Amino acid sequence: MRLRICHLYPDLLNLYGDRGNVLIIRRRAAWRGVEVELDQISLQDRVRFTDYDLVFLGGGADQDQGLVSRDMERKGPLLVEAAEEGVVILSICGGFQLLGRYYRAQDGGVLPGVGLFDVYTEAGRRRLKGNILIETEADLREEMERCSPGALSTLVGFENHSGRTFLGDGARPLGRVLKGNGNNGEDRAEGARYKNAFGTYLHGPFLSKNPHFADLLIARALARRHGEVSLAPLDDSLEWHAHRVVKERLQKGCRRPL
Amino acid sequence: MPFIFGKGFTAGLRFLLAFWAARLTALACRLFGYPGTSLPGVVALRLYPGVVGFLASSYERVLAVTGTNGKTTTANLLAHFLRGAGLRVAHNAEGANMLPGVAAALIRDCDRLGRPRSRVAVLEVDEGSVGMVFPAAKPGIVVVTNYFRDQLDRYWELERTTGLLRSTLDGLPAAALILNADDPLVAAVGRGRAEVRYYGVNREEGNCGAGDCAAKTADGTNGSGSVVAGETREGRYCTSCGTELVYRYFHYGQLGDYFCPGCGFRRPDPDLAASCVEEGEHLDFTVRVLQRGSERASIRQESGAGTPGGSGNLTGGAVMRFTAPLRGFYNVYNILAAAAAASALGVSLDAVRRSLLGYKPATGRMEQFTLGGRPCTLALIKNPAGVNQVLKTILATGTAKSLVLAINDLAADGRDVSWLWDADFAGLADGQVKKIVCAGLRAADMAVCLKYAGVPPERLLLAPGRAESLRALAEQEGEELFVLATYTNLFDYAGLLRRMGKGGGRSAPQDLPSLS
């Protein structure tokens, strides 16, 4: 079996250790004996997203995000086409915003998005940052339980964004915020999804503490060409420990457990 | 008291009030066993917000050191060089580098009447605080080390930090700048400035007479400019025209010899250049001084773009070999920066060279201790570029070793530990590393990161507490031991190691926070 990964704009959307997620997916696939192919695609590169099983895009600095936004005028429709065909897409923070309908800046200027998710983002003044804990939606929860039995129903991570993202009728969230801000700090929604495409504000290497979600992505990515697959269980005790440390700290509201 | 009331009666009174309140706070800190490197400054600033400007104006020379990595070592080296030349120096040596820390250091330098005792101030300034400290302290000389991604949750993106420095320096047009030529993000700050000196490391092949120096200075790129797997480079695009920079070679990160094909921006010829760097227990390298003025201009002409290594043109410039009791290639930059700043105050390069031999590293900058009869080195880690350099240095010896990696996520460490994944820990999968003890509030995050970097899980140990982690480390195999810790862990580990190692370390008095 082979997993073909496209890391989109690794040279521009690379803030906060986002690339850790690609490493995690590669390793977890390889530990199951799945061969991994990784292509790095950036500005000017020609690409057919439907050739891939999984596309990843992270967050970037403002200046770089502008460059990406212009390049996406061409690549965007291809990415939407891939999403319609069921390619797994994981987008984080700035990448997530780019896949929405638009981004309205502080000065009122509107940066059009790809429109893959029925969401829009408005610039906010205060930055929403800190550790975050979310409860995943019921269907995801069940699917994660199937992928990795005994999996927790929560996701933990760190968020750091000034954009406020709001979901339209055509988008579902990833989950509900238990601690932290999520999409906008108001409606408790976190992330968005459409078919096999996901967007989230849990930035950086968030899959490191959420092995169940990593496996859900791998299972869905393989399923498109190989049919339903069952992933061999891994020893995730370290990952779960890291998950619980953050979760318990957030639930206790305690910053110094030592 | 002409000094105090020479600046106006009200200002003088407010200063005295703030001064005595700060002194009492320092005393209270000492009584309760706190280092008190910042709190007296907080109190003073509350009572008299202009206290830093008030005091700084009394110094003949104010020098500031800022940047991402190497600030503490550069500022400490600079203070050491100046003291070696007989100058009395006020200095925030404890790394308290925001406005309150600067205020506390200047107050500490005062006599009982509130008069500064030194004539020179060396201020280490947090790169996020230059907008507060520089307008107040008005440094006449500003040293900039480098810019790497660091604590993104505090500073946001790098472009913001470098933009802040540029706009702050616009308010200090007369300040002389001492800039790292090899970092395009730093060198760009020198454009349009009246007085700038650059320092840098030249890679000269077959020119050293001391063996294959090129291989020793290389970090694995070996001059071809190929990108090291896993290393994140900042500043890939020209800050003025946005074209991708072209490199002749990299030293590490984005430091190297670059030029912009779009607008002609290029690495400036360093006024002070190191070459032929030999690493080991000590650093050895050659330092050359480039003559300024017309001679400099002619060298530029002859060497043309992309060949700054033409040493044959440097007649008239001093050339000497430096030996430093420091480890790590990155310290060559810190030494050059401090030497350039010291020479701007009239200290000769030869005096710097001699003074360097007696330098003791600051707390946790590759500081040496003994643990269980074995050498144990304590190093600060705080961002990916720093981690990569520290790891490269400790792995270069090839001897069997075990280490503690202590990661906290308190405000001074950065709340977000995502940065761990931008560092290159793959080297720790090497067989010379026997055990890695993961410690701190984010011990588990560290362990997971190492697992995915390829370290076999059986070589990982979780021991979150500091004393617990050191006890665990003392039981591990290896000829050498290391403790790599983020900021809020550092001083406690230094204290523990001093006690457990029974003074086996070079715990010089300057490492201890002084209060009065």
Side-chain angles (χ1 to χ4, degrees), chain A residues 193-247:
Chain A
R193 55 197 169 113
Y194 173 71
K195 294 196 170 178
N196 289 331
F198 298 89
T200 179
Y201 277 117
L202 272 60
H203 80 195
F206 89 107
L207 293 178
S208 66
K209 288 189 283 288
N210 300 294
H212 48 340
F213 192 66
D215 283 355
L216 177 144
L217 296 175
I218 294 169
R220 284 202 189 185
L222 292 173
R224 189 168 71 97
R225 288 189 302 126
H226 302 279
E228 189 89 355
V229 291
S230 87
L231 298 172
L234 299 172
D235 176 3
D236 288 330
S237 46
L238 272 180
E239 288 86 340
W240 287 124
H241 180 63
H243 184 111
R244 286 199 183 89
V245 168
V246 175
K247 185 173 177 172

Side-chain angles (χ1 to χ4, degrees), chain A residues 11-12 14-21 23-25 27-28 31 42-43 60-64 67 125 127 129-131 157-158 160 162 203-205 207-209 211 234-239 241-243 245-246 249 255-258, chain B residues 149 152-160 229-234 236-238 242 244 408-410 415-419 421-424 426 439-445 447-449 451-454 457 460 462 464-466 468 488:
Chain A
D11 52 339
L12 294 163
N14 65 356
L15 273 183
Y16 307 107
D18 283 331
R19 65 181 185 168
N21 294 309
L23 176 66
I24 291 158
I25 290 170
R27 290 258 196 250
R28 295 184 72 81
W31 287 332
S42 193
L43 305 178
D62 294 345
Q63 177 191 329
D64 297 334
L67 288 171
R125 283 186 192 285
R127 257 185 121 71
K129 61 182 178 184
N131 290 301
F158 196 95
N160 185 353
S162 55
H203 80 195
L207 293 178
S208 66
K209 288 189 283 288
L234 299 172
D235 176 3
D236 288 330
S237 46
L238 272 180
E239 288 86 340
H241 180 63
H243 184 111
V245 168
V246 175
R249 256 168 87 176
R255 280 192 162 139
R256 273 181 176 275
L258 293 183
Chain B
R149 54 178 61 195
L152 288 153
D153 57 313
R154 268 178 66 207
Y155 300 136
W156 305 6
E157 291 112 24
L158 260 185
E159 46 202 79
R160 216 165 235 276
E231 198 170 5
T232 307
R233 303 196 189 283
E234 312 295 352
R236 294 184 50 223
Y237 299 93
C238 177
E244 185 166 1
N408 270 4
D409 65 349
L410 301 176
R415 297 270 181 208
D416 184 3
V417 293
S418 299
W419 63 271
W421 292 76
D422 276 333
D424 185 8
L441 295 169
R442 292 300 196 129
D445 282 82
V448 172
C449 181
K451 175 181 166 181
Y452 285 89
L460 298 172
L462 281 177
R466 284 183 281 264
E468 176 194 7
T488 61

Side-chain angles (χ1 to χ4, degrees), chain B residues 466-496:
Chain B
R466 284 183 281 264
E468 176 194 7
S469 66
L470 285 183
R471 280 195 299 274
L473 179 67
E475 289 169 10
Q476 305 308 324
E477 284 179 68
E479 295 164 41
E480 286 183 288
L481 303 174
F482 293 89
V483 177
L484 313 188
T486 58
Y487 195 78
T488 61
N489 275 316
L490 193 69
F491 292 89
D492 288 317
Y493 272 111
L496 280 170

Side-chain angles (χ1 to χ4, degrees), chain A residues 59-78:
Chain A
D62 294 345
Q63 177 191 329
D64 297 334
Q65 211 134 305
L67 288 171
V68 168
S69 178
R70 280 192 290 284
D71 193 62
M72 268 301 217
E73 286 170 21
R74 216 163 34 80
K75 291 196 179 84
L78 301 171

Side-chain angles (χ1 to χ4, degrees), chain A residues 3-11 13-32 34-41 52-59 88-92 202-210 213-215 217-218 221, chain B residues 418 421-422 449 452-453:
Chain A
L3 180 69
R4 299 171 305 191
I5 302 175
C6 167
H7 189 174
L8 199 46
Y9 308 114
D11 52 339
L13 302 183
N14 65 356
L15 273 183
Y16 307 107
D18 283 331
R19 65 181 185 168
N21 294 309
V22 176
L23 176 66
I24 291 158
I25 290 170
R26 281 169 59 192
R27 290 258 196 250
R28 295 184 72 81
W31 287 332
R32 268 73 172 244
V34 175
E35 236 181 286
V36 179
E37 264 175 43
L38 174 68
D39 285 340
Q40 302 196 323
I41 302 292
Y52 296 95
D53 304 312
L54 194 152
V55 178
F56 175 80
L57 66 169
V88 173
I89 298 168
L90 176 61
S91 61
I92 293 183
L202 272 60
H203 80 195
F206 89 107
L207 293 178
S208 66
K209 288 189 283 288
N210 300 294
F213 192 66
D215 283 355
L217 296 175
I218 294 169
Chain B
S418 299
W421 292 76
D422 276 333
C449 181
Y452 285 89

